[in-house]
Amino acid sequence: MLTALGLPGSVAAQARAPLAGVNLAGGEFNSGRKPGIYAKDYIYPDARIAAPFIAMGMKIVRVPLLWERLQPSAAQPLSASEIARLDKVIAGLKGFEIIILDIHNYGKRNGQRLDQIADGDTQFADLWRRLSEHYRDDQRIAFGLMNEPNGMAPAQWRRIVDAGVTAIRKAGARNLLLVPGSNWTGAHSWATGGARSNAAAFRNFRDPGGNYAFEMHQYLDPDSSGMKMQCEDAPVIRQRMAAATNWLRTNKHKGFLGEFGAPPDAQCLASLDALLDHMKQNADVWMGWTYWAGGGWWGPHYPMSVQPVKGAARPQAGILAKYSSQGARK
């Protein structure tokens, strides 16, 4: 996957644009209801929901999943019914080149941080071993190790990541791995904190399979949370990305922007354009991105949704389409 998709740092960034994609949310909804009732508490995307993004030229879809639904008991077999449901979802997303399975748990299981669970690293490794054994023969499937770990030191999170990566590769899976940092895996804060930063914790990261990228997230509002309706202007957005971009290049790593989003006002759309342009101009290190978010359950009022409403495209779609059409690999 990434070994084929990536570019040496010496190749001009403009030679190949990052692969474009979208998050199709729903599988993580109502996380307090475990396992919950499918199609009432949570939903997975289907071909109809995906169709507008495939038509736009997007190549990647990120599918949020809840760990406890896939594996109701830690270190025990995966739920046969949930995996069967997920297999059906994957079949319906065949128009994408890469399908990311995103464990959307924030570095926790049943609300408890993995570094506070005595065998948290073992539980994490067990989940990924089982998923790897099931999906290792399908190289379209990428493994999003964990959505937005937070509350633990990057060095602690790194140890948990290493356990998961080792389990995946020992299971014989060569699939693309998307590796997040701690601290919500923010691009703007990746190098913040000196020896306690994600930059320090993951500088010497190595994947035995040689097929990985660091997943970062970057929202456009003043505190980078994605919770506010205001967006910083374009120069600020470019500055937020610069340190992470430089770190990736200096340390010969690849990056993947797994979440970013914008409300539909003019300033936010300009900032969204600046963010995507930054990745295009630095495509030697940014292999791709997935916008937050599409999905059939947002309705018309979620400001960052890019799912069409009654066939009408959202304002953000014009910016995304501009860069999605450039993401096709020759």
Side-chain angles (χ1 to χ4, degrees):
M1 295 290 295
L2 185 58
T3 50
L5 295 173
L7 283 174
S10 61
V11 178
Q14 291 78 5
R16 184 177 289 186
L19 287 173
V22 65
N23 287 266
L24 292 181
E28 79 285 23
F29 284 10
N30 292 310
S31 61
R33 301 174 188 171
K34 301 181 180 75
I37 301 171
Y38 187 72
K40 178 180 178 182
D41 296 318
Y42 68 104
I43 194 74
Y44 294 135
D46 57 20
R48 179 183 61 85
I49 293 297
F53 306 105
I54 295 170
M56 194 183 293
M58 290 184 171
K59 306 298 182 184
I60 311 176
V61 61
R62 184 172 180 252
V63 181
L65 308 166
L66 195 65
W67 180 351
E68 296 87 355
R69 288 175 179 146
L70 293 176
Q71 189 182 38
S73 298
Q76 295 297 314
L78 302 175
S79 165
S81 60
E82 199 68 14
I83 291 298
R85 184 176 288 128
L86 185 56
D87 288 345
K88 184 177 180 180
V89 168
I90 289 168
L93 299 176
K94 62 183 178 181
F96 293 103
E97 293 180 4
I98 300 174
I99 301 168
I100 302 168
L101 305 184
D102 159 48
I103 302 301
H104 212 84
N105 276 69
Y106 302 94
K108 301 174 182 178
R109 181 175 168 88
N110 287 320
Q112 188 174 9
R113 283 190 351 229
L114 292 179
D115 65 319
Q116 296 177 331
I117 300 173
D119 61 344
D121 56 344
T122 302
Q123 291 185 20
F124 182 71
D126 181 82
L127 168 70
W128 277 113
R129 175 184 65 81
R130 294 176 192 272
L131 286 172
S132 297
E133 290 172 349
H134 188 75
Y135 290 113
R136 63 191 172 195
D137 294 328
D138 188 349
Q139 291 300 295
R140 298 174 305 150
I141 305 300
F143 298 157
L145 297 183
M146 179 62 68
N147 179 70
E148 296 186 348
N150 63 87
M152 66 186 92
Q156 292 175 307
W157 172 240
R158 166 69 192 273
R159 288 192 289 271
I160 296 169
V161 165
D162 285 347
V165 171
T166 297
I168 290 167
R169 296 313 187 202
K170 283 187 175 180
R174 299 177 58 248
N175 307 60
L176 171 65
L177 307 183
L178 296 176
V179 180
S182 189
N183 302 327
W184 309 91
T185 201
H188 68 285
S189 62
W190 190 264
T192 301
R196 294 180 57 80
S197 66
N198 284 317
F202 286 96
R203 181 178 294 115
N204 65 347
F205 175 82
R206 292 294 180 268
D207 164 27
N211 191 16
Y212 72 96
F214 283 105
E215 180 182 325
M216 302 182 194
H217 295 179
Q218 185 56 60
Y219 286 95
L220 308 180
D221 50 348
D223 62 0
S224 295
S225 69
M227 302 299 289
K228 298 178 175 62
M229 295 303 100
Q230 304 81 25
C231 294
E232 297 286 5
D233 61 18
V236 173
I237 300 305
R238 294 180 187 276
Q239 184 179 26
R240 284 180 176 178
M241 294 292 290
T245 297
N246 292 337
W247 180 85
L248 290 166
R249 185 173 291 121
T250 297
N251 292 282
K252 297 180 171 57
H253 294 305
K254 297 289 183 181
F256 177 82
L257 201 66
E259 284 188 25
F260 61 98
D265 64 86
Q267 179 170 333
C268 286
L269 294 179
S271 297
L272 176 62
D273 186 88
L275 177 67
L276 290 168
D277 184 67
H278 176 88
M279 284 186 284
K280 175 189 171 186
Q281 297 301 324
N282 293 280
D284 59 309
V285 296
W286 290 104
M287 64 153 287
W289 49 261
T290 45
Y291 178 88
W292 184 272
W297 278 14
W298 288 121
H301 302 301
Y302 179 54
M304 290 192 291
S305 173
V306 75
Q307 192 71 40
V309 177
K310 297 181 179 179
R314 300 291 183 108
Q316 300 93 325
I319 305 296
L320 297 177
K322 171 182 171 182
Y323 293 93
S324 298
S325 62
Q326 298 168 350
R329 300 301 187 187
K330 303 297 184 182

